[in-house]
Amino acid sequence: MNGKRVPPYLLVIIGGTGDLARRKLLPAICRLRDKHLSEFQLIGAGTGKKHNDDTYRDFVARSLEEDGIDHSAAGESFEWAYYHSVGGGSLEEYKTLADRILELEKQSNLPGNRVFYLAVPPSVFPNAIKNIGEVGLNKSKGEIKLVVEKPFGQDLQSARELNALVHKYFDESHIYRIDHYLGKETVQNLIAFRFSNVVFESLWNRDRIERVEITVAETVGAEHRGGYYDRVGALRDMIQNHLTQLTTLVAMEVPTALEADAVRHEKVKVLKAISPISTDNVIFGQYTRGAVEGREVEGYLEEERVANDSKTETYVALKLNISNWRWQGVPFVLRTGKRMFKGITEVAITFRRPPVSIFRQFSIRDIQPNKLIMTLQPSEGFDLSFKVKEPGDAYKLSTQRLHFQYGEVFGRIPDAYETLLLDILKGDQTLFVRADEVEASWELYTPLLSHKFEVNKYASGTWGPAEAERLLDGEKWSTA
Ligand code: BG6
């Protein structure tokens, strides 16, 4: 986020041949390289023996092509990328990684700045962290950072244990817990929008706001991730992290500065102010067969590696109450689901209606409240709805919109991983989740994990189970 230059670094991706590296990290690195990363080397560490430096460079090239990056014109041969196998991940194998790192740092004259990026399944995190620490890779003359992907723990207890383990080897100021939603430009824009526009911030409270809805709807299903997803479900996969992060950015107080700890203090305060969630305010759903965007799709129970009597939720809607001076009594309704009607991430702010209607022909219920809809993806932008009088002698009100779309003004928006990788290399932790933050979030949701919720079925291609509407107290969803 800040304008500092990137010092020379060695980036070690544990899981260097995995899906995340291929789809996100390698394209992001290549996009950053030209502008920001001159003295930069990469080691992709994988479990297999089938790669060597040359074949790994081909792997990098293919990942760029899949992302639509044309590298051939620049004659790029990826000499900055290397491969090293850590096999089964034993301590011995990490020792060979350590030797390789020291050799490369010497040969490339790097100052010992290293980033270890854990792009592996969560079950591998503890072993990788322990081995990095035990072979002494967490110490050098330079600066060493650890990046941990989500999910960070699977409940409060496991998140605490993982925090204790990382803190054994790394100081919190060198730990970067990823929630990739924080890297999305439009999510960062929530901060800019709120704290540089007095016109909205002065209305941003319980006196003027009736309800906040946060929707993350996806058209994708569990598909090839069925084995993972069936053990996790939407509450852990999406609500505990992405939707909760969005909630904190919408609800937090003004930080004293746009600096990591100032912002994260405010986010933690929001999490601590959320009242325990009543199970009556939580609705679970699971998709069945249906049609999404005109294509027939299978139901969740028919997906590969999903138990055929699975009760895992692919949809969650829940209502939060943030019990502080700004928000007491304003429902925050969070909703996420797979195989929904369309893929969209939106924050919808519904303002209060006028206190009385001066128009004899309309009751107060007939006057639709102003809404501010912030679309975070895919058509990034916002809409503010307001009422105007239609021309003519009778008083007829019509709803119109002020509209802004990012793409029309700014063109291409960088991918979240470009932003996050650059911030890691520059040492800016603002967009990363702090230890107390991740624990506060798990503290909120852990009591729900053991509750046996009824799992309401919904057809793929719909907006989820109708039962969830009761969370809106008689109103309709703003995103539909
Ligand atoms: C991931 C979840 O964290 O976020 C996935 O594990 C989900 O299940 C994905 O599909 C959504 O991210 P995005 O950036 O596509 O909205």
Side-chain angles (χ1 to χ4, degrees):
M1 269 185 139
N2 59 36
K4 279 197 258 165
R5 263 188 58 74
V6 179
Y9 259 97
L10 173 68
L11 171 62
V12 182
I13 305 181
I14 312 284
T17 53
D19 211 43
L20 179 68
R22 197 190 85 240
R23 285 189 310 109
K24 296 288 184 185
L25 303 181
L26 296 171
I29 289 163
C30 289
R31 287 205 157 94
L32 290 174
R33 247 183 67 79
D34 290 346
K35 240 166 117 186
H36 303 279
L37 314 179
S38 41
E39 295 160 80
F40 168 86
Q41 311 278 319
L42 166 85
I43 295 184
T47 49
K49 298 272 180 223
K50 72 175 197 296
H51 276 297
N52 54 40
D53 292 345
D54 288 337
T55 62
Y56 192 61
R57 289 169 189 165
D58 293 341
F59 177 83
V60 176
R62 276 200 309 281
S63 88
L64 305 198
E65 282 151 23
E66 282 169 27
D67 201 64
I69 303 175
D70 181 9
H71 58 89
S72 51
E76 174 69 279
S77 51
F78 309 107
E79 273 153 12
W80 44 269
Y82 303 85
Y83 179 76
H84 189 86
S85 172
V86 286
S90 67
L91 191 64
E92 280 312 307
E93 284 157 323
Y94 270 78
K95 280 188 185 141
T96 69
L97 176 65
D99 293 342
R100 184 84 196 270
I101 288 175
L102 294 176
E103 180 194 310
L104 194 63
E105 283 177 342
K106 196 158 165 221
Q107 169 195 321
S108 308
N109 215 8
L110 291 173
N113 295 331
R114 300 171 197 151
V115 174
F116 291 97
Y117 196 123
L118 304 190
V120 283
S123 55
V124 183
F125 294 166
N127 182 61
I129 295 165
K130 199 163 131 287
N131 283 346
I132 290 169
E134 290 302 313
V135 301
L137 278 171
N138 58 337
K139 295 194 186 81
S140 80
K141 293 198 298 302
E143 219 173 22
I144 313 230
K145 296 168 181 170
L146 178 74
V147 185
V148 190
E149 267 291 332
K150 74 162 264 278
F152 195 93
Q154 40 181 314
D155 55 18
L156 180 57
Q157 178 65 20
S158 56
R160 281 184 177 148
E161 284 165 13
L162 195 54
N163 271 334
L165 181 68
V166 289
H167 288 150
K168 184 166 172 203
Y169 301 108
F170 292 89
D171 186 76
E172 181 64 25
S173 61
H174 293 141
I175 301 166
Y176 293 75
R177 294 176 194 78
I178 297 250
D179 181 312
H180 78 278
Y181 267 57
L182 292 175
K184 291 181 192 265
E185 280 289 333
T186 44
V187 175
Q188 294 171 62
N189 186 50
L190 288 173
I191 297 183
F193 184 82
R194 285 195 54 201
F195 303 127
S196 55
N197 294 296
V198 171
V199 68
F200 293 107
E201 190 49 26
S202 56
L203 305 175
W204 214 255
N205 57 54
R206 63 195 301 274
D207 297 333
R208 294 286 174 249
I209 292 180
E210 178 81 31
R211 181 174 75 250
V212 176
E213 292 162 60
I214 301 182
T215 298
V216 181
E218 298 184 279
T219 52
V220 293
E223 299 164 75
H224 66 280
R225 298 169 74 217
Y228 159 79
Y229 195 85
D230 206 36
R231 281 179 279 116
V232 175
L235 187 66
R236 285 188 170 101
D237 187 47
M238 299 292 287
I239 297 270
Q240 181 273 335
N241 35 70
H242 306 324
L243 281 93
T244 301
Q245 285 295 326
L246 294 178
T247 305
T248 59
L249 293 177
V250 172
M252 72 181 185
E253 294 300 321
V254 191
T256 47
L258 189 53
E259 282 167 5
D261 276 330
V263 171
R264 297 185 302 176
H265 285 329
E266 296 306 334
K267 289 165 69 194
V268 171
K269 275 157 66 183
V270 172
L271 294 171
K272 298 264 182 208
I274 299 177
S275 311
I277 306 166
S278 155
T279 52
D280 291 343
N281 285 337
V282 182
I283 307 287
F284 273 18
Q286 189 186 74
Y287 63 83
T288 58
R289 190 171 267 281
V292 178
E293 294 167 332
R295 192 170 58 90
E296 290 293 317
V297 293
E298 295 186 324
Y300 180 68
L301 297 182
E302 296 149 291
E303 299 275 20
E304 246 174 71
R305 290 186 289 143
V306 166
N308 54 18
D309 57 350
S310 169
K311 297 269 184 277
T312 298
E313 76 288 359
T314 62
Y315 171 102
V316 178
L318 56 80
K319 188 154 59 172
L320 301 177
N321 178 41
I322 304 175
S323 187
N324 62 16
W325 275 54
R326 193 189 277 259
W327 294 114
Q328 173 59 36
V330 179
F332 276 66
V333 187
L334 277 49
R335 169 175 67 150
T336 185
K338 298 227 181 274
R339 289 286 192 230
M340 301 271 278
F341 176 71
K342 66 176 171 190
I344 190 162
T345 299
E346 263 184 13
V347 176
I349 311 286
T350 302
F351 291 92
R352 292 203 189 281
R353 291 185 162 89
V356 291
S357 169
I358 62 161
F359 310 98
R360 283 210 195 89
Q361 58 277 55
F362 317 113
S363 77
I364 197 69
R365 300 295 301 175
D366 295 329
I367 302 180
Q368 286 309 308
N370 298 111
K371 279 188 195 270
L372 174 67
I373 309 273
M374 295 184 272
T375 307
L376 307 180
Q377 57 186 23
S379 304
E380 296 88 351
F382 57 78
D383 273 282
L384 178 67
S385 71
F386 57 96
K387 294 274 157 317
V388 294
K389 176 186 172 297
E390 280 190 19
D393 57 355
Y395 243 98
K396 203 162 168 216
L397 298 181
S398 126
T399 301
Q400 297 298 322
R401 302 187 135 199
L402 282 174
H403 172 75
F404 159 77
Q405 198 160 357
Y406 258 81
E408 288 168 9
V409 182
F410 299 112
R412 179 182 178 270
I413 298 180
D415 184 71
Y417 279 94
E418 280 172 54
T419 308
L420 296 174
L421 276 168
L422 192 56
D423 280 2
I424 293 164
L425 295 169
K426 287 183 171 176
D428 184 346
Q429 291 182 303
T430 312
L431 302 179
F432 299 86
V433 185
R434 208 168 57 184
D436 54 343
E437 197 179 347
V438 80
E439 290 184 16
S441 172
W442 276 122
E443 205 165 333
L444 198 56
Y445 297 111
T446 298
L448 302 180
L449 297 173
S450 53
H451 187 81
K452 299 263 171 288
F453 287 100
E454 185 182 339
V455 181
N456 302 284
K457 301 284 180 180
Y458 62 98
S460 291
T462 65
W463 281 107
E467 286 80 354
E469 263 180 43
R470 78 173 160 75
L471 301 180
L472 299 178
D473 307 315
E475 301 289 343
K476 294 260 170 282
W477 292 106
S478 303
T479 302

